[in-house]
Amino acid sequence: MLWKGGRQSSNVDDRRGVSGGQVAVGGGILGVIALVLNLLLGGGVDTSQLQVPGVQNSRELSPEEKAADDERGQFVKTVLGYTEDVWNEVYQKTGKDYPEPTLVLFRDAVQSGCGNASAASGPFYCPADQQLYIDLSFYNDLENKFGAAGDFAMAYVIAHEVGHHIQTLNGTSEKMARLRGQVSQEEYNQYSVRLELQADFLAGVWAHYMKGKKILEEGDIEEALNAANAIGDDRLTQGRVSPESFTHGTSAQRMYWFKKGFETGDINQGDTFSARELN
Ligand SMILES: [Zn+2]
């Protein structure tokens, strides 16, 4: 994926320095306050040990890790910028505005409008505050745990979460929320699978536009398909769990809907809710 030099989204709330425990002076807002205090008090305050209250200290990143983290941060900001370009274009075609979501970058743990989350929960979208949450360590997980390497594998994950934002804007997520409690868990799971497959489809539509803008490179679509394949429910549970409890769809279904979005580039082809066969 050609991303270096691309426009980086400004809709980013970078909390990596906050959730990381010790705050570097001048880094986060707390660092700035300490610096001001220090100046006011004639330099008598030792800011080197400043801690964020109530946040566990995690270990410091090595210079190499820090460099990799910075690059990944720039990458996801650029991908988010690309999703803004595409969805603004798609919305404008129908005469509507696209309200852009905010991306929260965090490390280890984060508070969201949908509750507290840790890095272990993976990237997610919270409809309540319309924000995407990503701990960049998921990049390593994709490659090492799921065997889905490549920048476009991560781009697909981001585009999938943005797909949930689209579903929130058009009311689909709210319909889902109302269903909870009205239908059995098993039935709800079936709707959940359709919601997730639609997010995969929307990620595919986005990839279609990326191809049109000549941003894709050889092998990118394979990387996305490989990621969709790797994080299907049947793969993740390795047959230990019955299909009724699937909430995201099988690997084949995820690849099918991503591909459909990619090949058609037409948002009207993504009605996973009326589709008889999910494939
Ligand atoms: Zn999802």
Side-chain angles (χ1 to χ4, degrees):
M1 177 180 202
L2 300 170
W3 66 273
K4 286 195 172 150
R7 179 183 71 85
Q8 293 180 19
S9 170
S10 54
N11 295 317
V12 178
D13 177 1
D14 195 341
R15 299 191 203 158
R16 281 177 294 176
V18 179
S19 53
Q22 275 199 357
V23 173
V25 171
I29 183 72
L30 288 170
V32 177
I33 293 166
L35 205 64
V36 172
L37 262 181
N38 213 13
L39 288 171
L40 288 174
L41 300 174
V45 180
D46 178 12
T47 52
S48 64
Q49 292 301 311
L50 185 73
Q51 311 267 320
V52 180
V55 174
Q56 268 187 356
N57 262 5
S58 62
R59 75 187 172 84
E60 299 264 328
L61 298 183
S62 70
E64 295 79 34
E65 287 171 326
K66 173 101 179 48
D69 199 64
D70 282 346
E71 171 145 330
R72 283 166 187 181
Q74 287 168 19
F75 174 74
V76 299
K77 287 177 195 177
T78 309
V79 172
L80 184 66
Y82 284 155
T83 66
E84 290 165 356
D85 294 345
V86 168
W87 291 112
N88 272 306
E89 196 179 323
V90 172
Y91 268 65
Q92 265 160 29
K93 278 184 195 163
T94 62
K96 282 189 227 148
D97 269 343
Y98 172 60
E100 298 168 348
T102 296
L103 166 69
V104 178
L105 288 177
F106 72 98
R107 190 170 290 143
D108 302 329
V110 74
Q111 280 184 318
S112 82
C114 298
N116 294 333
S118 76
S121 48
F124 66 98
Y125 172 80
C126 170
D129 58 20
Q130 303 200 357
Q131 301 197 120
L132 281 78
Y133 292 83
I134 295 178
D135 180 313
L136 293 171
S137 65
F138 186 72
Y139 218 119
N140 296 337
D141 290 351
L142 255 187
E143 195 167 328
N144 303 326
K145 266 202 323 264
F146 303 118
D151 54 7
F152 210 73
M154 187 67 182
Y156 150 72
V157 170
I158 297 164
H160 170 98
E161 299 308 334
V162 172
H164 286 313
H165 178 61
I166 306 290
Q167 292 173 318
T168 300
L169 296 178
N170 68 22
T172 309
S173 308
E174 205 193 318
K175 273 187 215 151
M176 277 291 292
R178 261 182 279 146
L179 275 176
R180 207 189 265 285
Q182 290 179 7
V183 298
S184 68
Q185 186 62 45
E186 201 174 289
E187 215 176 323
Y188 183 82
N189 287 349
Q190 285 169 15
Y191 283 113
S192 169
V193 165
R194 288 169 189 267
L195 187 80
E196 292 301 328
L197 293 176
Q198 192 175 60
D200 286 332
F201 168 84
L202 293 169
V205 170
W206 170 76
H208 174 91
Y209 278 78
M210 287 291 96
K211 191 183 176 199
K213 293 177 192 296
K214 310 257 181 287
I215 285 173
L216 294 191
E217 290 178 297
E218 189 79 33
D220 277 346
I221 292 305
E222 287 73 16
E223 285 173 11
L225 288 171
N226 185 35
N229 181 40
I231 57 183
D233 279 332
D234 50 342
R235 276 289 197 89
L236 292 184
T237 57
Q238 291 172 337
R240 287 189 301 267
V241 183
S242 61
E244 295 77 53
S245 63
F246 286 177
T247 55
H248 282 71
T250 64
S251 297
Q253 289 168 343
R254 300 198 73 164
M255 291 199 291
Y256 173 82
W257 285 98
F258 175 84
K259 234 176 165 170
K260 190 166 184 192
F262 175 66
E263 281 163 5
T264 65
D266 177 5
I267 46 167
N268 298 316
Q269 304 290 319
D271 189 355
T272 54
F273 290 91
S274 334
R276 282 250 209 97
E277 291 290 324
L278 291 173
N279 289 281

